[in-house]
Amino acid sequence: MKIHRLSITGFGPFHHTQTVDFDSFEDDGLFLIAGKTGAGKSSILDAISFALYDSVPRYDGQAARLRSDHCGPGDPTAVELEFSAGEERYRVLRSPAYERPKSRGEGTTLQKASAELWILRPTGWEALSTLARDVGIRLGEIVQLRREQFLQVILLAQNRFGEFLRAQSGERLELLRTLFGTARFERYERTLAESVREAEQELSAVRAGYAALLAQLGGVLAAEEHAEEIPEAPTEEWFGDRLAASAAQERDARAGRETAAGRATLAEQALAAARLTASRQAKRAEATARLAELTAAEDAITAEREALAAAERAAAATPAVRAAERATAALTAARDTHRSALAGYLEGAQAEEPGAEELARGIESLTRTLGALEALAAEETRLGTLEAEIAAADREILGAGEASAEMTRRAAEIPVVLQGARGDREEALRLAHGVPALDTERLRLRAMLDAAREAEDLELSLARARAAMVSATAEQDAATRAQRDLVTRQLQGYAGTLAAELTEGEPCPVCGATAHPQPAEPGEAPVTEADIAAARSAVERSGTALAECASAFYTRESELAARRAITGDTAVPDLLAAERGIETDLAAAREAETRAGALAAHIFALETEAEDLHAARETHRAAAEERAAQYAGLLSERAGIRTRLDEGRGGDASVAEAITRHTRERSRARELGEAQAAVTRALAEHGRADAALRDTLIEYMFEDLAAWGAALREDREPLRIRVRDHENAVLAARTILGDPELVALPAEAMDLAPLEEESTLARAAAETAAESAAAATQRHRALGDLIDRARTLLAGSAERHAEYERLRALSMALSGGKNNTRRMRLESFVLAAELEEIVAAANLRLQEMSSGRFSLEHDDSVQYRNAQSGLGLSVYDAFTGAARPTQSLSGGETFLASLALALGLAEVVSQRAGGIRLDTLFIDEGFGSLDQETLDIAMETLDGLRAGGRTVGVISHVPAMQERIPARLTVSTTAGGASRIS
């Protein structure tokens, strides 16, 4: 893959379009991307990553601010990249989402993210896709590298390959998993572990079920006679014996139940026959005693029978007696009513009681007069309603005039108020238009303020980390020098010891010479292996401490750079002041926004009110004219009614009073006529009732009313019942005593106690036998069911246990368990092979860069405390002949080892991606920490990367790099704050 051209517009620190032609550096092969810190050198690599992958590595884990802060509302943001892959040349244009002004109206709208992809044909550029999602898919097929792989093989971003060198095994696994796509092996481990858990749960369920069945089986067996305990591991023969014994017990219980049931039946039959005889004897004795009792009461019953006959005759005569009494009472009442009606009638003009014809004529005259008065009464009622309507009309006409005046006043007032409200709304809208921009600026200032505060804390932490790293470096160097001195002294001590043992003429055990002209002098105190081991341990401890200090320093340095990229050079007090100013302006703008909305509603209400007033005034005028015409008609109607009433009511105060008086007179006349007729009817009825009474008393043999009253009784029905019951009881007793079955009974009473006792005992024995038989049957069935289920579970348990053991052993082996001698997980095993190739590729350069001193070693030894095995790295130091942790390397040594490891990783990743040719490479790494010798080695390595036509871009602001690399891109800052590329 080769990158040809890059165009950046409104992206990161670049406002206006900046174009980079990478093909112009093809002859040089190596070029420098130079500029001051913060100018935007790394933003060039950000733009390449954004164009290809729609993401920027520096913003991982935080919101990306891709659009330049220097862009105005209408300025575009876009990145255009031309590159080659294989034999084809492509161009991709990508824009992020951002806010832009609306095409119509006020405010802003979201400009959606977009992407376009072209391919160069002989006839020109041809579009492959203009959909962002489709462009991402097509680019993945063309580039054949995921973003993480691309960053490792083409964009070697700042600190990334140094982190890989110093990483722990677990962190290194995460990166290698991403690069080589081995997460599927971890998923396979999880799937297999889940299968083991499921198999274990199934096996446990089977075992628990089997134990529960045995417990139930024990409960069933405990209820049997001669119960025995269940063996720890019941056999098939034992199960069969228990079933046979249970079946025999069930047969015995059934036979006992049949025998007991027969005995109970015979005893119950004997008891039933005895009870029947005793019952008949009791019935005969009861009938004899009852007949004697009834015979003794015969005289009293005869007297009651005679009294009942007299009472029946009196009851038959009672209707005639009551009719005579009612006729007498009716005559008395009619006469009383006549006297009252006559007194009321005589209160009028009459002085004496009139005859029936005279009363009829008077009633007819009064009826005609009342008819005429009732017609006038309706008009009198209407007169009262008219008075109320006229008064209401007066008030309505007066109110209409006042309302008309108020409408006229309000109609003149609204235009003035409306003009003022419209002016206030325009001013509020002008202030409210600044809300989106102020809100965006507030968010930007808050982010800068948070970053500035964190940067202040990080500066202090960075200073402490730098001091700790310098101290640890000094301790590590001192420990290394001490180890070298001890090795040198040990070697010198070996020579002195050997020289002391030489004898002139005797051959030297080393070279064989018999002459010893210059034997070595004995040295100081001899150096032991314990001294060497202690020195080596000190070197390792100091190396570990240095690695921890370096990791802390680089982490804080990276975090501080990220915060400074956000804040620039603005201090916290300045940011606080700016934030307070923005908050004040934003509050005022939002208050104006709310006020504008309220004013808009107020203006709409005023305009609506003006329209309603105009319509209401027209409606009111027409209603007033109609009401005036109605008022005149009401006055005319009132005058006509008053004239007719004065003529018709006569001397009464009102028509109602005249009607009341004439109605009262007619009612009294009618009452008197009705009373006269009632007295006549009552006299005739009284005569007829008195004659009928005399005939009835003679018919029923009563001398007078006194005799009738003495015979009359209210308790005739109880008398009748007593007489009838006595006669029926005598007949029943004689019928019972005449029954042949009772006549033939023995005289002596039956004794039931022995038979009842025998029947009770037989029935209890039958019930006990039935319960025993039912229990035996239930136990036998339960036992058979439990034994069948236990046999089935026992057969399945062995198969499940074997399957569980196979899965468990495989899972432990793949997850680095005890049966895995290397304690290496499956994914680690796969990645360890990749890491071996990476280390081999890296050592080709590292040994050359370190003059043969250093080489990386892949450590696949078993780790402790649950650490990941198989992905360890260490550095072999030829000067000491021992391997040591990568964290013990100095700053320059770390750079060389990291660069070699990154280049080796890039080669292996490109091979795994199909042998992709890498014609363009960018390195963004801190060359400023290198001494002159290390920098020379690094430059030689970079020169070697140009072989085969590769173009290498290096980001640095180190003066020595600028002197050595004449071809360069320079990123500088303009007076307005934006960056430009030259």
Side-chain angles (χ1 to χ4, degrees):
M1 179 179 181
K2 185 180 183 72
I3 296 177
H4 300 286
R5 179 178 171 276
L6 176 68
S7 177
I8 309 173
T9 303
F11 181 91
F14 305 108
H15 181 197
H16 300 293
T17 300
Q18 304 294 312
T19 301
V20 180
D21 183 8
F22 293 106
D23 288 342
S24 63
F25 298 107
E26 188 171 0
D27 294 337
D28 298 282
L30 180 65
F31 66 96
L32 182 70
I33 302 176
K36 296 181 178 180
T37 301
K41 301 184 297 296
S42 297
S43 294
I44 296 175
L45 306 188
D46 293 342
I48 296 174
S49 177
F50 173 69
L52 292 175
Y53 296 99
D54 193 21
S55 66
V56 175
R58 286 198 299 161
Y59 293 122
D60 284 347
Q62 56 181 302
R65 296 178 57 87
L66 303 180
R67 181 168 167 80
S68 175
D69 293 335
H70 302 288
C71 287
D75 293 337
T77 294
V79 174
E80 186 178 43
L81 178 70
E82 290 185 24
F83 66 94
S84 296
E87 301 298 328
E88 302 292 347
R89 183 160 178 159
Y90 300 92
R91 182 173 69 189
V92 57
L93 175 64
R94 193 184 294 274
S95 295
Y98 61 90
E99 294 287 334
R100 63 167 178 79
K102 292 182 178 179
S103 301
R104 296 180 180 178
E106 301 174 345
T108 61
T109 186
L110 180 66
Q111 175 68 46
K112 296 183 178 179
S114 63
E116 299 175 6
L117 179 64
W118 293 274
I119 186 172
L120 185 61
R121 302 296 191 192
T123 57
W125 289 103
E126 175 185 323
L128 291 179
S129 178
T130 57
L131 298 176
R133 177 179 176 81
D134 189 35
V135 167
I137 296 174
R138 297 293 293 272
L139 282 174
E141 297 172 350
I142 294 169
V143 178
Q144 300 181 32
L145 291 172
R146 297 187 298 276
R147 193 198 74 159
E148 291 74 12
Q149 294 176 324
F150 185 82
L151 296 177
Q152 288 292 338
V153 302
I154 293 181
L155 292 186
L156 302 183
Q158 188 172 1
N159 292 328
R160 277 185 175 266
F161 49 82
E163 292 174 358
F164 181 73
L165 175 69
R166 297 187 295 268
Q168 300 297 321
S169 293
E171 299 170 351
R172 194 172 290 121
L173 180 139
E174 291 296 330
L175 177 59
L176 292 174
R177 171 189 294 164
T178 302
L179 292 176
F180 295 102
T182 58
R184 64 186 185 277
F185 296 105
E186 184 188 28
R187 290 193 298 270
Y188 180 70
E189 290 179 28
R190 290 199 304 267
T191 301
L192 187 58
E194 183 63 28
S195 299
V196 172
R197 284 193 294 272
E198 292 176 357
E200 184 178 12
Q201 291 172 359
E202 292 177 359
L203 182 59
S204 298
V206 171
R207 288 173 174 172
Y210 185 69
L213 283 178
L214 292 182
Q216 295 179 35
L217 188 61
V220 173
L221 292 177
E224 293 185 351
E225 297 180 2
H226 311 295
E228 62 178 82
E229 295 183 357
I230 299 177
E232 183 175 352
T235 63
E236 179 64 28
E237 181 181 2
W238 185 88
F239 283 138
D241 292 343
R242 291 314 309 152
L243 280 176
S246 177
Q249 291 181 4
E250 182 188 15
R251 288 192 299 272
D252 294 342
R254 286 179 179 176
R257 179 187 62 188
E258 297 299 330
T259 301
R263 291 172 181 172
T265 300
L266 293 175
E268 288 177 356
Q269 290 174 351
L271 178 60
R275 282 176 175 172
L276 179 59
T277 300
S279 174
R280 289 174 177 175
Q281 288 178 338
K283 184 177 181 180
R284 182 182 63 182
E286 182 182 357
T288 301
R290 179 60 175 160
L291 182 59
E293 181 183 349
L294 292 172
T295 302
E298 185 62 36
D299 293 340
I301 291 301
T302 299
E304 288 185 345
R305 187 180 293 113
E306 294 175 353
L308 178 61
E312 292 292 350
R313 289 186 288 107
T318 298
V321 176
R322 300 294 183 231
E325 291 175 351
R326 288 194 298 271
T328 301
L331 178 59
T332 302
R335 287 171 175 170
D336 292 340
T337 302
H338 175 263
R339 283 193 296 272
S340 176
L342 180 60
Y345 181 78
L346 292 178
E347 287 181 1
Q350 299 293 334
E352 57 183 13
E353 181 177 0
E357 294 182 358
E358 185 180 355
L359 275 175
R361 289 194 296 271
I363 290 171
E364 184 179 358
S365 175
L366 288 171
T367 299
R368 287 194 298 270
T369 302
L370 283 171
L373 289 173
E374 287 175 354
L376 288 175
E379 292 194 291
E380 187 176 55
T381 302
R382 172 60 181 159
L383 182 62
T385 304
L386 278 174
E387 293 291 349
E389 291 179 358
I390 291 171
D394 283 336
R395 291 192 298 272
E396 288 179 7
I397 292 172
L398 178 61
E402 294 176 353
S404 179
E406 176 61 23
M407 289 180 185
T408 303
R409 182 193 64 78
R410 183 58 179 166
E413 183 182 74
I414 286 178
V416 178
V417 178
L418 193 58
Q419 182 179 1
R422 285 170 175 165
D424 293 343
R425 180 173 178 270
E426 290 177 0
E427 176 62 21
L429 286 175
R430 185 185 63 79
L431 294 175
H433 285 164
V435 168
L438 290 171
D439 200 13
T440 300
E441 181 63 16
R442 181 189 62 170
L443 294 176
R444 188 182 71 84
L445 286 173
R446 284 183 178 177
M448 293 178 65
L449 183 59
D450 293 341
R453 288 170 173 161
E454 293 174 0
E456 290 180 348
D457 296 338
L458 285 171
E459 284 179 347
L460 297 176
S461 179
L462 184 64
R464 291 193 293 269
R466 182 183 290 108
M469 186 173 69
V470 170
S471 175
T473 301
E475 292 178 2
Q476 202 269 343
D477 291 343
T480 302
R481 287 194 300 272
Q483 183 187 25
R484 289 177 185 154
D485 292 343
L486 284 174
V487 171
T488 302
R489 287 174 53 200
Q490 186 184 46
L491 294 174
Q492 292 175 349
Y494 286 155
T497 302
L498 183 61
E501 296 176 354
L502 294 175
T503 303
E504 193 67 28
E506 295 293 331
C508 174
V510 176
C511 63
T514 56
H516 315 293
Q518 294 180 342
E521 295 295 330
E524 303 174 0
V527 177
T528 65
E529 289 299 327
D531 295 334
I532 296 297
R536 186 179 298 110
S537 298
V539 171
E540 291 178 355
R541 288 194 301 273
S542 62
T544 301
L546 175 60
E548 293 175 353
C549 293
S551 176
F553 173 77
Y554 291 132
T555 299
R556 287 164 176 74
E557 186 179 44
S558 176
E559 292 175 352
L560 179 60
R563 302 306 185 277
R564 288 304 185 200
I566 297 174
T567 62
D569 297 329
T570 310
V572 171
D574 296 337
L575 290 172
L576 287 171
E579 184 185 33
R580 287 193 295 270
I582 286 294
E583 290 285 356
T584 302
D585 295 343
L586 184 58
R590 284 180 172 166
E591 190 276 334
E593 191 175 41
T594 302
R595 189 169 66 255
L599 286 170
H602 182 52
I603 290 171
F604 177 76
L606 288 172
E607 292 173 346
T608 303
E609 184 182 1
E611 295 175 358
D612 293 344
L613 275 175
H614 177 72
R617 289 173 67 188
E618 293 299 320
T619 303
H620 187 75
R621 181 184 59 77
E625 293 176 354
E626 181 181 356
R627 193 56 175 159
Q630 293 174 353
Y631 180 70
L634 291 173
L635 292 176
S636 176
E637 183 181 0
R638 182 180 65 178
I641 291 174
R642 283 178 176 176
T643 301
R644 288 189 294 275
L645 289 178
D646 291 341
E647 294 174 353
R649 64 174 174 252
D652 291 314
S654 65
V655 173
E657 290 183 2
I659 291 174
T660 301
R661 181 173 60 81
H662 284 80
T663 300
R664 185 171 59 251
E665 291 177 359
R666 186 179 63 176
S667 297
R668 288 174 177 175
R670 286 176 174 173
E671 290 174 358
L672 180 58
E674 292 173 355
Q676 290 175 346
V679 169
T680 300
R681 290 191 301 272
L683 284 171
E685 182 63 28
H686 182 267
R688 289 190 296 272
D690 190 55
L693 176 61
R694 288 193 300 272
D695 294 340
T696 299
L697 290 176
I698 293 170
E699 180 183 359
Y700 288 104
M701 299 178 293
F702 291 109
E703 295 180 359
D704 51 22
L705 284 176
W708 167 82
L712 184 66
R713 295 186 64 165
E714 295 296 333
D715 59 345
R716 293 192 309 278
E717 187 62 26
L719 279 175
R720 187 180 296 109
I721 292 173
R722 285 199 296 272
V723 172
R724 186 180 64 245
D725 288 348
H726 181 270
E727 294 173 348
N728 292 336
V730 171
L731 178 61
R734 288 174 177 171
T735 301
I736 292 172
L737 291 175
D739 187 352
E741 292 182 353
L742 299 183
V743 173
L745 289 175
E748 186 179 357
M750 293 294 297
D751 186 6
L752 299 177
L755 295 175
E756 288 177 345
E757 182 179 1
E758 183 179 355
S759 176
T760 301
L761 293 174
R763 186 169 55 253
E767 291 175 355
T768 301
E771 291 174 358
S772 298
T777 299
Q778 184 178 4
R779 284 197 303 273
H780 181 64
R781 291 175 181 174
L783 189 66
D785 179 64
L786 291 173
I787 288 177
D788 289 343
R789 291 162 59 191
R791 286 167 171 169
T792 302
L793 286 178
L794 190 61
S797 175
E799 182 179 351
R800 292 180 184 272
H801 183 268
E803 177 66 16
Y804 165 70
E805 289 298 334
R806 286 195 298 271
L807 290 173
R808 178 172 171 271
L810 179 59
S811 178
M812 289 180 61
L814 297 187
S815 60
K818 294 180 179 180
N819 61 345
N820 185 328
T821 57
R822 306 294 294 180
R823 295 295 175 89
M824 190 183 303
R825 293 173 48 213
L826 175 62
E827 184 180 15
S828 300
F829 176 77
V830 174
L831 291 177
E834 302 290 353
L835 186 59
E836 286 181 351
E837 293 193 26
I838 293 170
V839 168
N843 283 335
L844 295 177
R845 289 189 171 86
L846 180 59
Q847 289 184 350
E848 182 179 352
M849 288 189 287
S850 63
S851 300
R853 176 183 177 183
F854 295 114
S855 61
L856 296 173
E857 290 186 348
H858 171 220
D859 181 8
D860 61 353
S861 60
V862 177
Q863 302 296 308
Y864 300 97
R865 296 182 180 179
N866 297 323
Q868 191 69 251
S869 298
L871 299 178
L873 280 180
S874 59
V875 177
Y876 176 79
D877 189 343
F879 285 7
T880 63
R884 53 192 174 103
T886 56
Q887 292 85 351
S888 65
L889 295 174
S890 64
E893 293 169 347
T894 297
F895 176 82
L896 295 179
S898 299
L899 181 58
L901 185 61
L903 295 174
L905 180 60
E907 291 180 6
V908 174
V909 170
S910 64
Q911 292 172 4
R912 293 295 182 271
I916 297 174
R917 178 177 173 82
L918 305 177
D919 293 323
T920 305
L921 179 67
F922 295 95
I923 300 177
D924 182 2
E925 186 61 28
F927 292 92
S929 62
L930 306 182
D931 55 32
Q932 187 61 43
E933 181 180 357
T934 307
L935 184 61
D936 292 340
I937 296 172
M939 285 300 302
E940 292 177 3
T941 302
L942 294 177
D943 285 336
L945 294 177
R946 294 186 293 178
R950 179 184 290 170
T951 302
V952 181
V954 179
I955 297 179
S956 179
H957 58 273
V958 178
M961 297 288 287
Q962 298 179 13
E963 295 175 0
R964 291 169 176 263
I965 305 175
R968 73 185 62 178
L969 286 176
T970 302
V971 183
S972 58
T973 305
T974 64
S979 297
R980 65 183 179 187
I981 301 173
S982 59

